[in-house]
Amino acid sequence: VLGALLERALEKLLQRAGLTVDAAQALEILGELKMIVGLIDGMEVRLATRTERAQAEILRALGIEDLQALSA
């Protein structure tokens, strides 16, 4: 039940943003994003792969502007 509710909420956000992808397509597109975590001089460093246009549009629809900040 929770999964279905989350899927419907995602689809509503995508529609409000004017995107034509459904929840499954959005998750597949976002699934290509990768995050690398490493240590440099004792400091944790997180680097995300560069986002493609479709990924950035979906993230914006979800209210995520900065993927790096989200992972902190």
Side-chain angles (χ1 to χ4, degrees):
V1 175
L2 180 59
L5 290 173
L6 291 172
E7 181 178 352
R8 185 67 189 128
L10 175 56
E11 289 192 353
K12 284 185 178 280
L13 290 171
L14 295 169
Q15 288 173 353
R16 282 188 199 139
L19 301 179
T20 58
V21 296
D22 63 24
Q25 292 168 319
L27 291 173
E28 186 175 326
I29 292 167
L30 292 178
E32 298 171 9
L33 290 172
K34 304 291 183 244
M35 176 74 64
I36 298 169
V37 181
L39 289 175
I40 298 178
D41 292 331
M43 285 184 60
E44 186 177 89
V45 177
R46 296 172 185 250
L47 299 172
T49 56
R50 187 179 332 212
T51 55
E52 301 290 328
R53 189 175 121 228
Q55 293 166 330
E57 290 173 346
I58 293 167
L59 290 171
R60 264 193 305 281
L62 298 176
I64 301 169
E65 295 291 332
D66 184 359
L67 194 56
Q68 294 293 117
L70 183 68
S71 68

